[in-house]
Amino acid sequence: MSSVAVLTQESFAEHRSGLVPQQIKVATLSSEEESDPPTYKDAFPPLPEKAACLENAQEPAGAWSNKIRPIKASIITQVFHVPLEERKYKDMNQFGEGEQAKICLEIMQRTGAHLELSLAKDQGLSIMVSGKLDAVMKARKDIVARLQTQASATVAIPKEHHRFVIGKNGEKLQDLELKTATKIQIPRPDDASNQIRITGTKEGIEKARHEVLLISAEQDKRAVERLEVEKAFHPFIAGPYNRLVGEIMQETGTRINIPPPSVNRTEIVFTGEKEQLAQAVARIRKIYEEKKKKTTTIAVEVKKSQHKYVIGPKGNSLQEILERTGVSVEIPPSDSISETVILRGEPEKLGQALTEVYAKANSFTVSSVSAPSWLHRFIIGKKGQNLARITQQMPKVHIEFTEGEDKITLEGPTEDVSVAQEQIEAMVKDLINRMDYVEINIDHKFHRHLIGKSGANINRIKDQYKVSVRIPPDSEKSSLVRIEGDPQGVQQAKRELLELASRMENERTKDLIIEQRFHRTIIGQKGERIREIRDKFPEVIINFPDPAQKSDIVQLRGPKNEVEKCTKYMQKMVADLVENSYSISVPIFKQFHKNIIGKGGANIKKIREESNTKIDLPAENSNSETIVITGKRANCEAARSRILSIQKDLANIAEVEVCIPARLHNSLIGTKGRLIRSVMEECGGVHIHFPVEGSGSDTVIIRGPSSDVEKAKRQLLHLAEEKQTRSFTVDIRAKPEYHKFLIGKGGGKIRKVRDSTGARIIFPTAEDKDQDLITIIGKEDAVREAQKELEALIQNLDNVVEDCMLVDPRHHRHFVIRRGQVLREIAEEYGGVMVSFPRSGSQSDRVTLKGAKDCVEAAKKRIQEIIEDLEAQVTMECTIPQKFHRSVMGPKGSRIQQITRDYNVQIKFPDREENPGLVLLLSHPARGRQAAIHSVEPPVQENGDDAGEARETREADPGSPRRCDIIIISGRKEKCEAAKEALEALVPVTIEVEVPFDLHRYIIGQKGSGIRRMMDEFEVNIHVPAPELQSDNIAITGLTAHLDRAKAGLLERVRELQAEQEDRALRSFKLSVTVDPKYHPKIIGRKGAVITQIRLEHDVNIQFPDKDDGSQPQDQITITGYEKNTEAARDAILKIVGELEQMVSEDVPLDHRVHARIIGARGKAIRKIMDEFKVDIRFPQSGALDPNCVTVTGLPENVEEAIDHILNLEEEYLADVVDSEALQVYMKPPVHEESKAPSKGFVVRDAPWTASSEKAPDMSSSEEFPSFGAQVAPKTLPWGPKR
């Protein structure tokens, strides 16, 4: 069971008066107390007798019995009775059973309270409830609700009083229900009813009804009133420093809200009880009317720049003038250009006020001192030391340095400014006499070298010459270096910097390629080796790349000769490293490793020294048998031979060489050496050594015990034979131009050879060096057969024959145009056959073909096919308006190229200009690559009509299509028709889609991104009408296939935008809430935490009024969002306001000596108290009028609990303080007081020893007051023998 001490508000004064005077009496001795010492009983009060305590419990004896409140137990017990007629469960067979017992168990489990039920003689039910107060109240409420019959009643109170019954977060209603053990139902805010329904026992209903009516009666006493008072008279009503209005508020208990000067409102709001509120309104109305009659105004001109001095810090100067003269001074707003200041007051006091206004205006002045901007930092001094000396003497002077300007601005009281100005001018004059600066140009790429590593170079120059060097940052790319300081030092520093720069200009930078694996070795352990190189070449800077960059470039920089010498030295070092880094692995049987090492490592040491190599053996517990030798190649080989000879001498080790073709080595080793490892393990762990890849050697060495070596040899040869039979390879040679003919069209010929023989035939790729080599792989018989077939084909190709054929001269051009592209294609396809056409101009129709017989025949056949195609060609016209030609062509003519390839036709587009005699082929620059696929030919006749005549007829006919719209298609008739259909399908079609004008800008998107995305996605062109047309139609142009998709996409986008628009309209609902501005900071919370939480929780935007905007009502908070959300946010704000309005502030006198203890380290203790009791506690600031006054703010009940708690703490801590101060009396006085008269010590009256003949104890005696642990002779004391 826990207990708490309770100190009530009523006993507060009594408690303080009982504690402080009596206890503090012992703590300090004043001069009066010295003359009249305390009595022995006061100083040492006797403990009360046991009997006396029992008999006189109310009046304890002695000073020990200060009136401390009794400690209350945290566990309470309540007993209440349920009469028989009100019992729910009357018919019970046996008491303690049935539904009633179950209900009691449930209540005990839920509330944690203990219940005991007993039945009285009258069959009434007595219930004893024990537990903590909270639990008992809850249990009592449940018992009444579930074990007692319920009645109900209604009580009517004004609707506006309902919220006071509910209280903050419904706490008041919950407390009321617990206290009265009833259920109270209050109608919802949207319900017009004012009836409150109470359900419970008759007794509970009466109690609850009484409490509700009390709350309503209390609220009836309060009222709100508004009084219109001209803004100009508000200062008189508020009084200087708001004292007058404060007095009225204190006297009448009414809250008076005067709008601040920045808010352009005239009404003053009064809140309080009706009678007192009427008194306050009457007093303020009286002041207003008096001032209106008596006061007059004068207007004076004061410079705008001086207005701030008239106002003073936080308006203190205006309040001062009002206090001294009773005159109000009205200053125009800062954003106004007016310089007129209005003084309002009684005529006889206006003169004095005017004098004060001018005095305030002229009390401050602004001045400037000319000083070069480069001197500013010297005037300020290191960490502002120089300037601090001036500002400490004249704290009211404000000194401002503007970067880039040659002046310093001073602002402050006239006298102080003139003194400060003189001091700064003297400082400037002194600095100009003894300081100089110079600017030099040094290429910015040398700046970091001037600065040196960690600023070493530049710091040395600064310290040596006592100058300041300003080098611009790399980002500025400026080459201007500024030196400031003593004139002589500046010149010396300039000379040295220029020398450094010129030396750097003559330097050379060289990149040395060194493999990254050697970098660490060159640098050495802790940089020892690189330090040696740098010491050898001190003028050369060596930079290694960052290991993370994986770079091989080492940069050397310095004088040319030194860089060359350093380069040679480092190259030699790298060559030695490369030579010494040769490594070979020697497999040695594990059992012989210890013999190779020798006793104490003698053998291995000797081999290492003699061969000058590094030999690494595997760890003892490792399964590896490999010894790694590193060093020069010759030395490694020598060391290897010696190690192998040791193994050979120790055991019967045989070594056999087997010849296996090098091309089979990789397949025998297998993936990651798996195959060869399995052979070695199977044959007793023999070692099989293959030659280095690329060496060309076929020799494989097998080493191990004789029997195992033979077994391994047999297996290896068997594997090699098997691999060889499967991978027999033959290489044959054929001219590269034959390859295509050998492969055949679509690979037909070579596939036939593969299928018939089963061999694999590999032709060289474009990257292969040997382009003649054809490789055949497979089983030997299959390879031989394929070889025969291919050789026969190649032999036929090598038999060159010459043949000729007749080709009509009108077709010759088709073969020779575009530098003979068609002929080149024939030559490539048919084994390099040469086709010769007669010279241009000759009328010969003889064409010569030369090459392999098969190739010539195939080429003749192909030429004949081309001629047949040309003779079967017709020309068709396809009419498409010229404006669509670009769209039909597609990007870079891709669509046309695709049609020409698909249908094997030629397509000619007309010239863009209306030139009657010219038809433009696809060689126009605007049509890009299309020129390569068309030829110029004479007009082809179709059905015996002359194309020229047809054109003349068309020109004569005014209704005929324009020449620039006609596209000519040439090719086979059926192909031309298909191509024409394909072209016509590419003609774009335009449709219009109706889209509301106000959505156009959203469809276009930011910088046209939206419409571009749609055009790219649907492959159409979308035209949005100009804004001035106000048209709702958007045109979509594109291929028919794409239009439906584009239209659907556009309409979908419109639907999305309309949905967004509707949502935006719903989201823009605005709701205004009127909240007293004094609550705004609490609603906003610390760093906006509270308001941010409301914004996020309800998804709304909440706007507070601008304090500087006088036109805005300062009590209006605007909430924007969905209507439902804004209402929820409004309720949340009003809930906070309701809580704030219920809060009270109480001042508690709390001894200032215990403040620090209550606050705790870094305020931890006081924060804990504030969190626990949900209150705000404010301690007085140093220098406050009443240092003991502590203010506690919060809900009334919380405030009372918090006050009780801190008073308990005060009592506890004050006892410690009193003890501490009492001890100070016995402490050794300070050194400076030793010269004073010796102290009489601690003196009391009526002490026991004064009654007898014995003298008072001597405090200076070590016998009377021995130190701890000292041995002292026993002495009889007045109080009896020692125990």
Side-chain angles (χ1 to χ4, degrees), residues 586-741:
V586 187
I588 299 293
F589 291 102
K590 193 79 175 177
Q591 62 264 36
F592 302 130
H593 282 202
K594 59 183 179 181
N595 305 96
I596 289 163
I597 294 166
K599 193 174 182 180
N603 292 353
I604 198 76
K605 192 176 179 184
K606 188 178 180 185
I607 296 168
R608 279 173 181 157
E609 285 172 358
E610 289 179 4
S611 63
N612 193 24
T613 56
K614 181 187 174 190
I615 302 170
D616 293 319
L617 284 91
E620 249 182 87
N621 55 356
S622 167
N623 293 326
S624 173
E625 296 183 338
T626 308
I627 296 173
V628 180
I629 307 168
T630 310
K632 290 183 180 176
R633 184 166 187 157
N635 295 349
C636 289
E637 292 292 344
R640 179 170 172 269
S641 302
R642 290 193 56 177
I643 287 169
L644 289 172
S645 66
I646 291 170
Q647 180 181 245
K648 202 168 183 180
D649 294 344
L650 288 167
N652 180 23
I653 301 296
E655 190 175 289
V656 175
E657 291 184 356
V658 183
C659 190
I660 296 170
R663 59 193 170 79
L664 298 177
H665 289 183
N666 281 343
S667 60
L668 286 173
I669 292 166
T671 312
K672 296 182 180 177
R674 284 176 189 163
L675 182 58
I676 201 68
R677 205 160 43 242
S678 68
V679 172
M680 290 194 289
E681 286 169 5
E682 199 178 321
C683 300
V686 295
H687 294 149
I688 301 172
H689 179 70
F690 284 86
V692 179
E693 194 174 356
S695 63
S697 172
D698 294 341
T699 306
V700 178
I701 298 167
I702 307 170
R703 192 182 300 112
S706 305
S707 58
D708 292 340
V709 166
E710 284 303 318
K711 188 179 175 183
K713 180 182 176 183
R714 282 196 301 275
Q715 278 208 26
L716 208 58
L717 288 171
H718 176 70
L719 277 170
E721 190 180 345
E722 197 176 288
K723 294 276 181 190
Q724 200 158 2
T725 55
R726 279 197 205 149
S727 57
F728 185 76
T729 306
V730 167
D731 293 335
I732 58 172
R733 293 186 174 274
K735 291 177 184 176
E737 54 265 30
Y738 293 167
H739 291 185
K740 277 194 178 181
F741 188 76

Side-chain angles (χ1 to χ4, degrees), residues 108 158 181 254 263 308 318-319 353-354 491 497-498 747 833 839 874 950 1005 1072 1133 1194 1196 1213 1278:
M108 286 200 292
T254 304
V263 178
K308 59 181 176 180
L318 294 179
Q319 295 295 333
L354 184 60
Q491 293 305 318
L497 285 171
L498 288 172
V833 68
R839 287 180 180 277
V874 295
S1072 291
I1133 290 169
Y1213 297 153

Side-chain angles (χ1 to χ4, degrees), residues 1166-1214:
I1166 199 66
R1167 270 200 305 276
K1168 189 178 176 184
I1169 294 168
M1170 290 196 288
D1171 292 344
E1172 186 181 341
F1173 294 100
K1174 295 176 183 168
V1175 294
D1176 184 48
I1177 303 173
R1178 297 288 167 201
F1179 286 83
Q1181 292 184 344
S1182 56
L1185 292 172
D1186 184 1
N1188 296 332
C1189 184
V1190 174
T1191 306
V1192 184
T1193 308
L1195 293 174
E1197 55 272 25
N1198 292 353
V1199 168
E1200 284 175 18
E1201 288 175 12
I1203 289 171
D1204 287 348
H1205 182 74
I1206 58 176
L1207 287 174
N1208 284 339
L1209 289 176
E1210 180 200 30
E1211 180 186 340
E1212 185 185 327
Y1213 297 153
L1214 200 54

Side-chain angles (χ1 to χ4, degrees), residues 987-1172:
V987 176
V989 179
T990 301
I991 60 168
E992 287 191 345
V993 181
E994 193 172 334
V995 176
F997 173 72
D998 59 328
L999 298 180
H1000 288 190
R1001 62 197 182 98
Y1002 300 112
I1003 286 166
I1004 293 166
Q1006 194 176 16
K1007 295 181 181 176
S1009 60
I1011 204 154
R1012 267 201 306 276
R1013 182 179 55 75
M1014 288 176 76
M1015 289 198 289
D1016 293 344
E1017 186 181 344
F1018 302 119
E1019 298 179 44
V1020 294
N1021 182 38
I1022 301 172
H1023 175 70
V1024 180
E1028 55 269 16
L1029 297 176
Q1030 299 277 312
S1031 171
D1032 288 345
N1033 293 327
I1034 290 180
I1036 306 175
T1037 306
L1039 302 182
T1040 312
H1042 298 159
L1043 286 178
D1044 290 342
R1045 207 159 53 89
K1047 182 179 177 180
L1050 182 60
L1051 290 173
E1052 180 59 34
R1053 179 68 181 139
V1054 169
R1055 280 193 291 276
E1056 283 175 18
L1057 290 169
Q1058 283 172 340
E1060 283 175 21
Q1061 222 170 27
E1062 286 169 14
D1063 186 59
R1064 209 176 296 120
L1066 289 171
R1067 284 182 70 92
S1068 58
F1069 179 79
K1070 284 194 177 181
L1071 189 66
S1072 291
V1073 188
T1074 305
V1075 176
D1076 195 318
K1078 69 179 178 181
Y1079 297 135
H1080 290 190
K1082 289 284 184 186
I1083 293 167
I1084 292 165
R1086 192 178 178 193
K1087 294 183 181 176
V1090 177
I1091 203 68
T1092 304
Q1093 180 65 29
I1094 295 171
R1095 281 175 179 148
L1096 294 173
E1097 196 175 322
H1098 300 289
D1099 189 23
V1100 293
N1101 181 32
I1102 302 172
Q1103 193 69 35
F1104 284 83
D1106 187 354
K1107 289 180 183 177
D1108 301 326
D1109 187 357
S1111 61
Q1112 266 188 317
Q1114 290 298 299
D1115 60 351
Q1116 293 294 316
I1117 298 173
T1118 307
I1119 308 169
T1120 310
Y1122 293 116
E1123 185 174 358
K1124 192 169 86 174
N1125 292 2
T1126 55
E1127 286 171 357
R1130 176 197 62 193
D1131 293 344
I1133 290 169
L1134 290 175
K1135 187 178 174 185
I1136 294 168
V1137 172
E1139 290 170 8
L1140 294 169
E1141 283 176 344
Q1142 287 179 14
M1143 286 188 178
V1144 294
S1145 286
E1146 280 195 34
D1147 291 342
V1148 186
L1150 200 69
D1151 197 303
H1152 66 276
R1153 292 174 294 173
V1154 299
H1155 287 191
R1157 287 278 305 271
I1158 290 170
I1159 291 165
R1162 296 182 182 178
K1164 193 175 179 182
I1166 199 66
R1167 270 200 305 276
K1168 189 178 176 184
I1169 294 168
M1170 290 196 288
D1171 292 344
E1172 186 181 341

